[in-house]
PDB file of all heavy atoms in Angstrom:
ATOM      1  N   PHE A 299      -9.510   3.083  14.937  1.00 87.00           N
ATOM      2  CA  PHE A 299      -9.895   2.873  13.482  1.00 87.00           C
ATOM      3  C   PHE A 299      -8.817   3.458  12.665  1.00 87.00           C
ATOM      4  O   PHE A 299      -8.277   4.564  12.902  1.00 87.00           O
ATOM      5  CB  PHE A 299     -11.202   3.610  13.179  1.00 87.00           C
ATOM      6  CG  PHE A 299     -11.582   3.585  11.678  1.00 87.00           C
ATOM      7  CD1 PHE A 299     -12.260   2.429  11.354  1.00 87.00           C
ATOM      8  CD2 PHE A 299     -11.291   4.587  10.878  1.00 87.00           C
ATOM      9  CE1 PHE A 299     -12.573   2.356   9.877  1.00 87.00           C
ATOM     10  CE2 PHE A 299     -11.704   4.491   9.548  1.00 87.00           C
ATOM     11  CZ  PHE A 299     -12.325   3.472   9.020  1.00 87.00           C
ATOM     12  N   LYS A 300      -8.465   2.759  11.593  1.00 90.00           N
ATOM     13  CA  LYS A 300      -7.420   3.063  10.662  1.00 90.00           C
ATOM     14  C   LYS A 300      -8.071   2.925   9.223  1.00 90.00           C
ATOM     15  O   LYS A 300      -8.692   2.068   8.891  1.00 90.00           O
ATOM     16  CB  LYS A 300      -6.151   2.276  10.721  1.00 90.00           C
ATOM     17  CG  LYS A 300      -5.425   2.399  12.132  1.00 90.00           C
ATOM     18  CD  LYS A 300      -4.114   1.576  12.040  1.00 90.00           C
ATOM     19  CE  LYS A 300      -3.357   1.727  13.393  1.00 90.00           C
ATOM     20  NZ  LYS A 300      -2.155   0.864  13.385  1.00 90.00           N
ATOM     21  N   HIS A 301      -7.563   3.945   8.419  1.00 92.00           N
ATOM     22  CA  HIS A 301      -8.106   3.806   7.003  1.00 92.00           C
ATOM     23  C   HIS A 301      -6.799   4.105   6.039  1.00 92.00           C
ATOM     24  O   HIS A 301      -6.024   5.013   6.240  1.00 92.00           O
ATOM     25  CB  HIS A 301      -9.072   4.876   6.636  1.00 92.00           C
ATOM     26  CG  HIS A 301      -9.417   5.013   5.237  1.00 92.00           C
ATOM     27  ND1 HIS A 301      -9.862   3.978   4.416  1.00 92.00           N
ATOM     28  CD2 HIS A 301      -9.133   5.990   4.265  1.00 92.00           C
ATOM     29  CE1 HIS A 301     -10.089   4.377   3.144  1.00 92.00           C
ATOM     30  NE2 HIS A 301      -9.615   5.552   3.066  1.00 92.00           N
ATOM     31  N   THR A 302      -6.643   3.104   5.150  1.00 93.00           N
ATOM     32  CA  THR A 302      -5.546   3.182   4.163  1.00 93.00           C
ATOM     33  C   THR A 302      -6.071   3.842   2.933  1.00 93.00           C
ATOM     34  O   THR A 302      -7.020   3.205   2.294  1.00 93.00           O
ATOM     35  CB  THR A 302      -4.909   1.862   3.881  1.00 93.00           C
ATOM     36  OG1 THR A 302      -4.387   1.344   5.122  1.00 93.00           O
ATOM     37  CG2 THR A 302      -3.748   1.994   2.969  1.00 93.00           C
ATOM     38  N   VAL A 303      -5.494   4.944   2.490  1.00 93.00           N
ATOM     39  CA  VAL A 303      -6.011   5.630   1.187  1.00 93.00           C
ATOM     40  C   VAL A 303      -5.687   4.651   0.156  1.00 93.00           C
ATOM     41  O   VAL A 303      -4.731   4.085   0.031  1.00 93.00           O
ATOM     42  CB  VAL A 303      -5.324   7.018   1.099  1.00 93.00           C
ATOM     43  CG1 VAL A 303      -5.732   7.696  -0.186  1.00 93.00           C
ATOM     44  CG2 VAL A 303      -5.472   7.892   2.430  1.00 93.00           C
ATOM     45  N   SER A 304      -6.705   4.660  -0.905  1.00 92.00           N
ATOM     46  CA  SER A 304      -6.549   3.813  -2.065  1.00 92.00           C
ATOM     47  C   SER A 304      -5.094   4.150  -2.712  1.00 92.00           C
ATOM     48  O   SER A 304      -4.669   5.323  -2.762  1.00 92.00           O
ATOM     49  CB  SER A 304      -7.621   4.137  -3.021  1.00 92.00           C
ATOM     50  OG  SER A 304      -8.893   3.860  -2.435  1.00 92.00           O
ATOM     51  N   GLU A 305      -4.570   3.041  -3.267  1.00 86.00           N
ATOM     52  CA  GLU A 305      -3.076   3.135  -3.637  1.00 86.00           C
ATOM     53  C   GLU A 305      -3.000   3.479  -5.231  1.00 86.00           C
ATOM     54  O   GLU A 305      -1.943   3.444  -5.657  1.00 86.00           O
ATOM     55  CB  GLU A 305      -2.325   1.884  -3.205  1.00 86.00           C
ATOM     56  CG  GLU A 305      -2.283   1.710  -1.895  1.00 86.00           C
ATOM     57  CD  GLU A 305      -1.402   0.487  -1.361  1.00 86.00           C
ATOM     58  OE1 GLU A 305      -0.870  -0.090  -2.241  1.00 86.00           O
ATOM     59  OE2 GLU A 305      -1.302   0.239  -0.105  1.00 86.00           O
ATOM     60  N   GLU A 306      -4.118   3.446  -5.901  1.00 82.00           N
ATOM     61  CA  GLU A 306      -3.962   3.629  -7.344  1.00 82.00           C
ATOM     62  C   GLU A 306      -3.438   5.022  -7.642  1.00 82.00           C
ATOM     63  O   GLU A 306      -3.853   5.966  -7.134  1.00 82.00           O
ATOM     64  CB  GLU A 306      -5.362   3.548  -8.046  1.00 82.00           C
ATOM     65  CG  GLU A 306      -5.974   2.072  -7.969  1.00 82.00           C
ATOM     66  CD  GLU A 306      -6.673   1.785  -6.741  1.00 82.00           C
ATOM     67  OE1 GLU A 306      -6.724   2.778  -5.848  1.00 82.00           O
ATOM     68  OE2 GLU A 306      -7.162   0.803  -6.480  1.00 82.00           O
ATOM     69  N   GLY A 307      -2.544   5.102  -8.629  1.00 78.00           N
ATOM     70  CA  GLY A 307      -1.889   6.327  -9.137  1.00 78.00           C
ATOM     71  C   GLY A 307      -0.966   6.910  -8.151  1.00 78.00           C
ATOM     72  O   GLY A 307      -0.559   6.184  -7.153  1.00 78.00           O
ATOM     73  N   ASN A 308      -0.528   8.154  -8.316  1.00 77.00           N
ATOM     74  CA  ASN A 308       0.411   8.776  -7.535  1.00 77.00           C
ATOM     75  C   ASN A 308      -0.119  10.237  -7.114  1.00 77.00           C
ATOM     76  O   ASN A 308       0.793  11.058  -6.712  1.00 77.00           O
ATOM     77  CB  ASN A 308       1.780   8.816  -8.100  1.00 77.00           C
ATOM     78  CG  ASN A 308       1.804   9.721  -9.383  1.00 77.00           C
ATOM     79  OD1 ASN A 308       0.824  10.004  -9.977  1.00 77.00           O
ATOM     80  ND2 ASN A 308       3.021   9.919  -9.953  1.00 77.00           N
ATOM     81  N   VAL A 309      -1.308  10.427  -7.337  1.00 84.00           N
ATOM     82  CA  VAL A 309      -1.860  11.809  -6.950  1.00 84.00           C
ATOM     83  C   VAL A 309      -2.728  11.769  -5.742  1.00 84.00           C
ATOM     84  O   VAL A 309      -3.422  10.676  -5.578  1.00 84.00           O
ATOM     85  CB  VAL A 309      -2.697  12.306  -8.141  1.00 84.00           C
ATOM     86  CG1 VAL A 309      -3.359  13.672  -7.814  1.00 84.00           C
ATOM     87  CG2 VAL A 309      -1.877  12.531  -9.420  1.00 84.00           C
ATOM     88  N   SER A 310      -2.609  12.628  -4.811  1.00 90.00           N
ATOM     89  CA  SER A 310      -3.293  12.551  -3.559  1.00 90.00           C
ATOM     90  C   SER A 310      -4.824  12.686  -3.757  1.00 90.00           C
ATOM     91  O   SER A 310      -5.338  13.037  -4.718  1.00 90.00           O
ATOM     92  CB  SER A 310      -2.898  13.756  -2.678  1.00 90.00           C
ATOM     93  OG  SER A 310      -3.159  15.005  -3.337  1.00 90.00           O
ATOM     94  N   ARG A 311      -5.518  12.137  -2.810  1.00 92.00           N
ATOM     95  CA  ARG A 311      -6.953  12.026  -2.854  1.00 92.00           C
ATOM     96  C   ARG A 311      -7.595  12.859  -1.715  1.00 92.00           C
ATOM     97  O   ARG A 311      -7.024  12.807  -0.591  1.00 92.00           O
ATOM     98  CB  ARG A 311      -7.433  10.572  -2.732  1.00 92.00           C
ATOM     99  CG  ARG A 311      -6.977   9.657  -3.946  1.00 92.00           C
ATOM    100  CD  ARG A 311      -7.241   8.267  -3.589  1.00 92.00           C
ATOM    101  NE  ARG A 311      -6.880   7.394  -4.798  1.00 92.00           N
ATOM    102  CZ  ARG A 311      -7.720   7.055  -5.747  1.00 92.00           C
ATOM    103  NH1 ARG A 311      -8.988   7.395  -5.678  1.00 92.00           N
ATOM    104  NH2 ARG A 311      -7.292   6.335  -6.783  1.00 92.00           N
ATOM    105  N   HIS A 312      -8.712  13.434  -1.945  1.00 93.00           N
ATOM    106  CA  HIS A 312      -9.413  14.089  -0.899  1.00 93.00           C
ATOM    107  C   HIS A 312     -10.286  13.112  -0.061  1.00 93.00           C
ATOM    108  O   HIS A 312     -11.001  12.349  -0.625  1.00 93.00           O
ATOM    109  CB  HIS A 312     -10.511  15.105  -1.502  1.00 93.00           C
ATOM    110  CG  HIS A 312     -11.244  15.870  -0.512  1.00 93.00           C
ATOM    111  ND1 HIS A 312     -12.624  16.011  -0.517  1.00 93.00           N
ATOM    112  CD2 HIS A 312     -10.704  16.547   0.586  1.00 93.00           C
ATOM    113  CE1 HIS A 312     -12.941  16.633   0.585  1.00 93.00           C
ATOM    114  NE2 HIS A 312     -11.922  17.040   1.194  1.00 93.00           N
ATOM    115  N   VAL A 313      -9.859  13.028   1.175  1.00 94.00           N
ATOM    116  CA  VAL A 313     -10.404  12.013   2.164  1.00 94.00           C
ATOM    117  C   VAL A 313     -11.285  12.770   3.178  1.00 94.00           C
ATOM    118  O   VAL A 313     -10.812  13.696   3.783  1.00 94.00           O
ATOM    119  CB  VAL A 313      -9.276  11.147   2.750  1.00 94.00           C
ATOM    120  CG1 VAL A 313      -9.982  10.152   3.731  1.00 94.00           C
ATOM    121  CG2 VAL A 313      -8.421  10.492   1.757  1.00 94.00           C
ATOM    122  N   GLU A 314     -12.471  12.233   3.374  1.00 95.00           N
ATOM    123  CA  GLU A 314     -13.325  12.692   4.357  1.00 95.00           C
ATOM    124  C   GLU A 314     -13.903  11.515   5.221  1.00 95.00           C
ATOM    125  O   GLU A 314     -14.355  10.584   4.647  1.00 95.00           O
ATOM    126  CB  GLU A 314     -14.560  13.525   3.697  1.00 95.00           C
ATOM    127  CG  GLU A 314     -15.500  14.188   4.650  1.00 95.00           C
ATOM    128  CD  GLU A 314     -16.536  14.941   4.047  1.00 95.00           C
ATOM    129  OE1 GLU A 314     -16.785  14.787   2.806  1.00 95.00           O
ATOM    130  OE2 GLU A 314     -17.279  15.629   4.716  1.00 95.00           O
ATOM    131  N   ILE A 315     -13.690  11.651   6.515  1.00 94.00           N
ATOM    132  CA  ILE A 315     -14.211  10.559   7.523  1.00 94.00           C
ATOM    133  C   ILE A 315     -15.184  11.130   8.370  1.00 94.00           C
ATOM    134  O   ILE A 315     -14.909  12.103   9.180  1.00 94.00           O
ATOM    135  CB  ILE A 315     -13.036   9.929   8.151  1.00 94.00           C
ATOM    136  CG1 ILE A 315     -12.030   9.264   7.226  1.00 94.00           C
ATOM    137  CG2 ILE A 315     -13.525   8.926   9.196  1.00 94.00           C
ATOM    138  CD1 ILE A 315     -10.758   8.660   7.838  1.00 94.00           C
ATOM    139  N   VAL A 316     -16.393  10.607   8.312  1.00 93.00           N
ATOM    140  CA  VAL A 316     -17.588  11.128   9.075  1.00 93.00           C
ATOM    141  C   VAL A 316     -17.954  10.046  10.172  1.00 93.00           C
ATOM    142  O   VAL A 316     -17.981   8.880   9.840  1.00 93.00           O
ATOM    143  CB  VAL A 316     -18.749  11.409   8.270  1.00 93.00           C
ATOM    144  CG1 VAL A 316     -19.908  11.898   9.029  1.00 93.00           C
ATOM    145  CG2 VAL A 316     -18.368  12.472   7.204  1.00 93.00           C
ATOM    146  N   ILE A 317     -18.057  10.642  11.381  1.00 92.00           N
ATOM    147  CA  ILE A 317     -18.360   9.638  12.576  1.00 92.00           C
ATOM    148  C   ILE A 317     -19.846  10.076  13.045  1.00 92.00           C
ATOM    149  O   ILE A 317     -20.176  11.307  13.224  1.00 92.00           O
ATOM    150  CB  ILE A 317     -17.393   9.842  13.714  1.00 92.00           C
ATOM    151  CG1 ILE A 317     -16.086   9.166  13.201  1.00 92.00           C
ATOM    152  CG2 ILE A 317     -17.871   9.080  14.953  1.00 92.00           C
ATOM    153  CD1 ILE A 317     -15.076   9.416  14.272  1.00 92.00           C
ATOM    154  N   MET A 318     -20.648   9.107  13.210  1.00 91.00           N
ATOM    155  CA  MET A 318     -21.969   9.315  13.768  1.00 91.00           C
ATOM    156  C   MET A 318     -22.114   8.362  15.029  1.00 91.00           C
ATOM    157  O   MET A 318     -21.900   7.206  14.889  1.00 91.00           O
ATOM    158  CB  MET A 318     -23.101   9.006  12.731  1.00 91.00           C
ATOM    159  CG  MET A 318     -23.149  10.078  11.606  1.00 91.00           C
ATOM    160  SD  MET A 318     -24.516   9.796  10.521  1.00 91.00           S
ATOM    161  CE  MET A 318     -23.849   8.491   9.525  1.00 91.00           C
ATOM    162  N   ASP A 319     -22.402   8.822  16.190  1.00 87.00           N
ATOM    163  CA  ASP A 319     -22.650   8.205  17.446  1.00 87.00           C
ATOM    164  C   ASP A 319     -23.778   8.771  18.241  1.00 87.00           C
ATOM    165  O   ASP A 319     -24.369   9.674  17.794  1.00 87.00           O
ATOM    166  CB  ASP A 319     -21.300   7.944  18.134  1.00 87.00           C
ATOM    167  CG  ASP A 319     -20.759   9.304  18.625  1.00 87.00           C
ATOM    168  OD1 ASP A 319     -21.348  10.369  18.430  1.00 87.00           O
ATOM    169  OD2 ASP A 319     -19.705   9.335  19.265  1.00 87.00           O
ATOM    170  N   ASP A 320     -23.834   8.367  19.440  1.00 81.00           N
ATOM    171  CA  ASP A 320     -24.838   8.972  20.397  1.00 81.00           C
ATOM    172  C   ASP A 320     -24.649  10.431  20.660  1.00 81.00           C
ATOM    173  O   ASP A 320     -25.650  11.126  21.082  1.00 81.00           O
ATOM    174  CB  ASP A 320     -24.949   8.260  21.662  1.00 81.00           C
ATOM    175  CG  ASP A 320     -25.393   6.838  21.534  1.00 81.00           C
ATOM    176  OD1 ASP A 320     -25.795   6.459  20.290  1.00 81.00           O
ATOM    177  OD2 ASP A 320     -25.384   6.072  22.525  1.00 81.00           O
ATOM    178  N   SER A 321     -23.427  11.032  20.309  1.00 76.00           N
ATOM    179  CA  SER A 321     -23.314  12.382  20.532  1.00 76.00           C
ATOM    180  C   SER A 321     -23.566  13.206  19.274  1.00 76.00           C
ATOM    181  O   SER A 321     -23.439  14.501  19.351  1.00 76.00           O
ATOM    182  CB  SER A 321     -21.795  12.707  21.094  1.00 76.00           C
ATOM    183  OG  SER A 321     -20.859  12.514  20.023  1.00 76.00           O
ATOM    184  N   GLY A 322     -23.781  12.571  18.268  1.00 82.00           N
ATOM    185  CA  GLY A 322     -24.114  13.280  16.963  1.00 82.00           C
ATOM    186  C   GLY A 322     -23.224  12.923  15.873  1.00 82.00           C
ATOM    187  O   GLY A 322     -22.496  11.961  15.905  1.00 82.00           O
ATOM    188  N   LYS A 323     -23.295  13.846  14.773  1.00 87.00           N
ATOM    189  CA  LYS A 323     -22.556  13.599  13.542  1.00 87.00           C
ATOM    190  C   LYS A 323     -21.463  14.576  13.519  1.00 87.00           C
ATOM    191  O   LYS A 323     -21.703  15.847  13.789  1.00 87.00           O
ATOM    192  CB  LYS A 323     -23.465  13.682  12.327  1.00 87.00           C
ATOM    193  CG  LYS A 323     -22.804  13.567  10.950  1.00 87.00           C
ATOM    194  CD  LYS A 323     -23.753  13.604   9.820  1.00 87.00           C
ATOM    195  CE  LYS A 323     -23.178  13.611   8.523  1.00 87.00           C
ATOM    196  NZ  LYS A 323     -23.990  13.762   7.432  1.00 87.00           N
ATOM    197  N   ARG A 324     -20.199  14.157  13.125  1.00 87.00           N
ATOM    198  CA  ARG A 324     -19.163  15.188  12.956  1.00 87.00           C
ATOM    199  C   ARG A 324     -18.141  14.613  12.041  1.00 87.00           C
ATOM    200  O   ARG A 324     -17.876  13.403  11.933  1.00 87.00           O
ATOM    201  CB  ARG A 324     -18.479  15.394  14.297  1.00 87.00           C
ATOM    202  CG  ARG A 324     -17.953  14.107  15.122  1.00 87.00           C
ATOM    203  CD  ARG A 324     -17.827  14.475  16.578  1.00 87.00           C
ATOM    204  NE  ARG A 324     -17.274  13.388  17.353  1.00 87.00           N
ATOM    205  CZ  ARG A 324     -17.918  12.398  17.751  1.00 87.00           C
ATOM    206  NH1 ARG A 324     -19.194  12.239  17.643  1.00 87.00           N
ATOM    207  NH2 ARG A 324     -17.328  11.481  18.512  1.00 87.00           N
ATOM    208  N   THR A 325     -17.476  15.543  11.293  1.00 89.00           N
ATOM    209  CA  THR A 325     -16.455  15.192  10.361  1.00 89.00           C
ATOM    210  C   THR A 325     -15.070  15.359  11.043  1.00 89.00           C
ATOM    211  O   THR A 325     -14.644  16.348  11.512  1.00 89.00           O
ATOM    212  CB  THR A 325     -16.514  16.099   9.173  1.00 89.00           C
ATOM    213  OG1 THR A 325     -17.732  16.032   8.507  1.00 89.00           O
ATOM    214  CG2 THR A 325     -15.397  15.804   8.167  1.00 89.00           C
ATOM    215  N   MET A 326     -14.357  14.126  11.139  1.00 86.00           N
ATOM    216  CA  MET A 326     -13.083  14.156  11.853  1.00 86.00           C
ATOM    217  C   MET A 326     -11.874  14.218  10.919  1.00 86.00           C
ATOM    218  O   MET A 326     -10.778  14.654  11.316  1.00 86.00           O
ATOM    219  CB  MET A 326     -12.961  12.851  12.634  1.00 86.00           C
ATOM    220  CG  MET A 326     -14.048  12.621  13.593  1.00 86.00           C
ATOM    221  SD  MET A 326     -14.423  14.068  14.747  1.00 86.00           S
ATOM    222  CE  MET A 326     -12.844  14.335  15.484  1.00 86.00           C
ATOM    223  N   VAL A 327     -11.973  13.991   9.652  1.00 90.00           N
ATOM    224  CA  VAL A 327     -10.853  14.028   8.673  1.00 90.00           C
ATOM    225  C   VAL A 327     -11.509  14.725   7.464  1.00 90.00           C
ATOM    226  O   VAL A 327     -12.560  14.296   6.900  1.00 90.00           O
ATOM    227  CB  VAL A 327     -10.240  12.684   8.441  1.00 90.00           C
ATOM    228  CG1 VAL A 327      -9.325  12.835   7.175  1.00 90.00           C
ATOM    229  CG2 VAL A 327      -9.637  12.116   9.465  1.00 90.00           C
ATOM    230  N   ASP A 328     -10.823  15.734   6.971  1.00 91.00           N
ATOM    231  CA  ASP A 328     -11.222  16.429   5.736  1.00 91.00           C
ATOM    232  C   ASP A 328     -10.019  17.046   5.106  1.00 91.00           C
ATOM    233  O   ASP A 328      -9.609  18.203   5.365  1.00 91.00           O
ATOM    234  CB  ASP A 328     -12.303  17.519   6.110  1.00 91.00           C
ATOM    235  CG  ASP A 328     -12.799  18.180   4.849  1.00 91.00           C
ATOM    236  OD1 ASP A 328     -12.488  17.675   3.679  1.00 91.00           O
ATOM    237  OD2 ASP A 328     -13.646  19.066   4.932  1.00 91.00           O
ATOM    238  N   GLY A 329      -9.354  16.260   4.248  1.00 90.00           N
ATOM    239  CA  GLY A 329      -8.116  16.813   3.691  1.00 90.00           C
ATOM    240  C   GLY A 329      -7.602  15.884   2.651  1.00 90.00           C
ATOM    241  O   GLY A 329      -8.222  14.959   2.300  1.00 90.00           O
ATOM    242  N   TYR A 330      -6.394  16.313   1.988  1.00 92.00           N
ATOM    243  CA  TYR A 330      -5.811  15.499   0.897  1.00 92.00           C
ATOM    244  C   TYR A 330      -4.767  14.569   1.510  1.00 92.00           C
ATOM    245  O   TYR A 330      -3.882  15.055   2.358  1.00 92.00           O
ATOM    246  CB  TYR A 330      -5.325  16.472  -0.100  1.00 92.00           C
ATOM    247  CG  TYR A 330      -6.346  17.026  -1.006  1.00 92.00           C
ATOM    248  CD1 TYR A 330      -6.937  18.219  -0.622  1.00 92.00           C
ATOM    249  CD2 TYR A 330      -6.703  16.495  -2.177  1.00 92.00           C
ATOM    250  CE1 TYR A 330      -8.011  18.771  -1.235  1.00 92.00           C
ATOM    251  CE2 TYR A 330      -7.817  16.974  -2.898  1.00 92.00           C
ATOM    252  CZ  TYR A 330      -8.391  18.172  -2.428  1.00 92.00           C
ATOM    253  OH  TYR A 330      -9.363  18.810  -3.232  1.00 92.00           O
TER     254      TYR A 330
END
């Protein structure tokens, strides 16, 4: 899986990617 951060503006964005599967819920990305 790949995610391209929105390209509007020139200021970084806080990105959080959460995964839920048979092993449970976990946050894999949490940063700017």
Side-chain angles (χ1 to χ4, degrees):
F299 178 81
K300 296 180 180 180
H301 170 64
T302 302
V303 181
S304 300
E305 297 186 1
E306 293 85 359
N308 63 351
V309 178
S310 60
R311 296 171 178 267
H312 179 233
V313 180
E314 186 178 5
I315 300 180
V316 177
I317 294 177
M318 290 183 283
D319 62 0
D320 291 353
S321 68
K323 177 180 177 181
R324 55 199 186 276
T325 299
M326 302 310 303
V327 173
D328 185 5
Y330 286 86

